[in-house]
Amino acid sequence: MLRNRIALQADAVCSLGGSMLSDAELDVLVPTRLVSNGELLVDQPVPLRDLLGGLAGTELPGHTRQILDLAPNA
């Protein structure tokens, strides 16, 4: 089921911020370009920890809601 796949992917992203990566790895700057609805939001290097935190805290729940809203039993 799609809901289970989303949950597994969310768990995988969240686990990267835990013991899988060191503080030094999480502090590595990653070239980042984020665009939403045609608007450039970020175009600069961002620490990996901030990218993962944003995905886990904001993007995953928001996209999960969007997908579930499309389900026939929503």
Side-chain angles (χ1 to χ4, degrees):
M1 170 181 272
L2 183 57
R3 185 179 302 197
N4 293 338
R5 286 185 58 196
I6 293 169
L8 290 173
Q9 291 175 358
D11 289 344
V13 169
C14 292
S15 70
L16 289 174
S19 60
M20 291 188 71
L21 298 175
S22 69
D23 282 340
E25 291 168 322
L26 290 169
D27 289 336
V28 169
L29 294 177
V30 178
T32 304
R33 183 177 179 95
L34 298 174
V35 178
S36 179
N37 295 323
E39 180 183 348
L40 180 63
L41 301 177
V42 177
D43 190 13
Q44 65 186 33
V46 173
L48 180 57
R49 107 176 39 249
D50 292 350
L51 285 178
L52 294 175
L55 286 172
T58 305
E59 296 301 319
L60 287 174
H63 290 299
T64 300
R65 279 190 303 278
Q66 289 173 334
I67 292 169
L68 292 175
D69 286 346
L70 298 172
N73 298 333

